[in-house]
Amino acid sequence: MNGKSALDWVMERYAVTVHKESGIRNDPNDWSDDPRYIFDLVKRIVRVSLETVRIVASLPPVNEQSD
């Protein structure tokens, strides 16, 4: 995702930010009543990433032919 790992992207999106002009604070952690939400999200991202690596490693090599 724009040259970032999935984990980097999510961590960037879930950072607490404050809008410079309005001073409005955006805390994505306030969006859920589940205190484990971010932790569980990171676990799921890691699992999907590991499964993706496993699947890609098991693919046969690509036979490229130039014309």
Side-chain angles (χ1 to χ4, degrees):
M1 291 176 262
N2 295 330
K4 296 180 183 179
S5 71
L7 190 55
D8 284 338
W9 187 86
V10 168
M11 296 308 291
E12 183 180 283
R13 295 290 170 247
Y14 278 87
V16 176
T17 58
V18 177
H19 189 264
K20 291 177 184 177
E21 293 174 13
S22 67
I24 295 173
R25 183 175 184 265
N26 178 25
D27 186 351
N29 302 300
D30 289 340
W31 297 348
S32 175
D33 292 331
D34 181 4
R36 291 181 47 101
Y37 176 76
I38 300 296
F39 177 75
D40 291 337
L41 176 62
V42 169
K43 282 181 18 181
R44 288 192 304 270
I45 291 167
V46 170
R47 168 123 184 161
V48 168
S49 296
L50 290 173
E51 285 296 310
T52 301
V53 169
R54 184 187 64 76
I55 291 167
V56 169
S58 72
L59 293 173
V62 176
N63 295 324
E64 295 183 31
Q65 297 178 358
S66 59
D67 293 330

